[in-house]
Amino acid sequence: MEEESDAEEQGFQFFECSFLEFIRYPEKKKAWLEKFYKNVVEDFKKSSRNLLETYFTLDDLRAAIKKHVSSDLNTLANSLTEQITIALCWNKMGHLKNLASCGNVRLSDFKAWAMEMQVEESTIAAAYDERQLFVHVCEGLKYPSSRERLGREPKTYEELFQVCQEESYSGNCQLSQIEKYAEDEWRALYTEAHKPLVMPISPHQVIEAAQARSIQVTEESFLQVYRYDKKLKLVRNACRIPDCPHYLILHRNFNQHISVERERSNFPHALHLMSHDLSDQSVEAVVQEVATCSQAGRQKRRKPSPIEPSSLDPLCDEIQVLLQEYKKDSGEV
Ligand SMILES: [Zn+2]
Ligand SMILES: [Zn+2]
């Protein structure tokens, strides 16, 4: 039997698959899932003292979350599945019909015809058994061609019921949502810790700060341990923010650590280079130059689009300090 409108497009609409109260109160379902996600994240956080400290990059965080939640997601799947009712949707079933040589036959017409033909009541009852119809509808949707459908051993009601359960549950609970909550927290910690502008630092200061954190580095090994930008006086292969738990600690994927701030549309590209080159000029001059991003595209990287100069206002005091630092050096060098 085929449905009046295109059956394939409508797929599983034949089934009333409802989160019992959730379907009537979608906001309840949303709140319930949100609470679940947050609980998972809270539980995940117990495994580390501080997300930023434990996870150097967002990728590290995501990998750990994935590992942590796989069992939680199974629990969620099971508890959601228990709350889903799956049954044939009789409204839709009433529209089933088959256009054949004997006319346009609906499911109900067929029953009337069978009774008229004095088919035994028990046979009719068996044909209209809900579980039996459920199997027919499932198989019919999956294998629209009758040749294909009849040529294979049909699945049992129980098997098909389980398939429907899985279909109805999928999409309701998402790893991505849990990741999002954890990522938001990590980003907040990162942003807070990395608020200050990176200030120029001498090799000697780096060594002192690193040794204070039990990092193995000496005057002799300094250049083997750190990639150091002599001109801008910046470490290039470890976090330069004293408040960050990863300050001066070596990580292979340092660029991923700082990539978060580069996603910001107002990230001041080449700020240190500009402050160095324009150290005898005003903060406004540096801001203007950085805002046009004219220097950032120099190193074969994709040229970022210009930014609104006023979006750098909060940095002005620190840029002033930066200019003074670089000005001091220009006398020495
Ligand atoms: Zn950092
Ligand atoms: Zn670290």
Side-chain angles (χ1 to χ4, degrees):
M1 287 205 164
E2 280 156 32
E3 220 246 345
E4 282 174 62
S5 49
D6 39 340
E8 267 150 84
E9 234 177 71
Q10 305 201 348
F12 280 87
Q13 277 197 14
F14 284 104
F15 303 101
E16 263 182 293
C17 149
S18 61
F19 284 78
L20 277 175
E21 56 176 330
F22 289 166
I23 204 110
R24 262 165 282 159
Y25 310 103
E27 69 283 1
K28 242 186 192 176
K29 176 184 168 190
K30 209 174 148 234
W32 191 87
L33 284 174
E34 237 157 59
K35 205 174 129 207
F36 181 87
Y37 295 145
K38 284 186 177 150
N39 282 342
V40 172
V41 173
E42 284 308 313
D43 186 48
F44 171 73
K45 276 161 63 184
K46 280 185 202 145
S47 62
S48 71
R49 210 151 48 94
N50 171 304
L51 288 183
L52 177 62
E53 189 180 326
T54 311
Y55 305 105
F56 184 58
T57 70
L58 271 181
D59 280 347
D60 296 344
L61 175 78
R62 285 186 198 118
I65 277 264
K66 205 171 214 164
K67 213 170 136 194
H68 177 88
V69 301
S70 61
S71 65
D72 288 321
L73 284 183
N74 282 335
T75 312
L76 175 63
N78 290 335
S79 69
L80 284 182
T81 303
E82 279 163 24
Q83 298 174 63
I84 292 172
T85 319
I86 294 170
L88 286 174
C89 173
W90 289 103
N91 272 342
K92 297 252 172 197
M93 294 293 289
H95 295 297
L96 282 175
K97 62 172 187 174
N98 186 25
L99 207 58
S101 51
C102 56
N104 193 356
V105 185
R106 285 176 189 276
L107 194 62
S108 51
D109 302 333
F110 190 72
K111 191 174 192 172
W113 173 82
M115 277 155 72
E116 230 166 80
M117 296 303 286
Q118 295 184 327
V119 174
E120 250 186 77
E121 246 175 72
S122 60
T123 311
I124 298 176
Y128 280 83
D129 175 61
E130 193 168 341
R131 289 162 67 99
Q132 192 58 48
L133 286 174
F134 189 94
V135 171
H136 288 322
V137 170
C138 283
E139 295 274 299
L141 285 168
K142 205 148 199 151
Y143 308 99
S145 131
S146 57
R147 190 178 305 156
E148 198 186 348
R149 191 166 60 243
L150 297 172
R152 48 186 297 287
E153 191 68 36
K155 285 199 164 139
T156 65
Y157 170 79
E158 284 75 17
E159 285 169 333
L160 289 166
F161 189 81
Q162 208 193 330
V163 171
C164 291
Q165 261 189 336
E166 280 159 16
E167 296 242 352
S168 61
Y169 135 73
S170 71
N172 277 318
C173 98
Q174 289 158 344
L175 173 65
S176 62
Q177 273 302 316
I178 296 172
E179 277 180 346
K180 195 190 157 295
Y181 285 120
E183 277 180 29
D184 287 349
E185 294 213 19
W186 190 92
R187 275 176 203 273
L189 290 168
Y190 181 93
T191 307
E192 187 55 36
H194 295 74
K195 237 180 212 152
L197 217 53
V198 172
M199 285 296 157
I201 184 170
S202 70
H204 183 72
Q205 289 170 308
V206 174
I207 293 162
E208 266 190 352
Q211 284 178 346
R213 282 165 179 74
S214 308
I215 298 166
Q216 302 291 323
V217 61
T218 60
E219 301 277 350
E220 290 70 39
S221 67
F222 177 71
L223 287 175
Q224 275 106 62
V225 175
Y226 289 111
R227 266 179 55 213
Y228 183 74
D229 184 328
K230 267 192 215 162
K231 178 174 150 186
L232 301 182
K233 297 176 75 180
L234 299 172
V235 168
R236 293 288 190 194
N237 60 340
C239 190
R240 296 82 54 93
I241 298 290
D243 278 347
C244 176
H246 305 282
Y247 182 49
L248 295 179
I249 299 173
L250 294 162
H251 288 271
R252 272 180 301 108
N253 50 353
F254 168 63
N255 283 333
Q256 280 177 31
H257 179 64
I258 54 171
S259 66
V260 179
E261 47 196 291
R262 285 164 188 269
E263 290 167 6
R264 273 184 8 229
S265 59
N266 67 339
F267 178 77
H269 290 275
L271 176 60
H272 290 83
L273 180 62
M274 289 296 96
S275 302
H276 175 273
D277 291 359
L278 305 176
S279 65
D280 54 348
Q281 295 189 35
S282 66
V283 171
E284 289 70 34
V286 173
V287 166
Q288 278 302 330
E289 197 62 25
V290 169
T292 59
C293 296
S294 58
Q295 295 296 316
R298 286 201 315 190
Q299 303 153 342
K300 279 189 203 158
R301 285 199 205 123
R302 196 162 49 87
K303 203 177 161 90
S305 38
I307 52 182
E308 179 56 45
S310 64
S311 73
L312 299 178
D313 282 352
L315 296 179
C316 282
D317 288 348
E318 285 178 296
I319 294 175
Q320 184 66 59
V321 178
L322 204 54
L323 287 177
Q324 280 159 10
E325 287 295 310
Y326 283 133
K327 206 169 184 173
K328 264 194 266 169
D329 294 343
S330 65
E332 288 167 24
V333 178

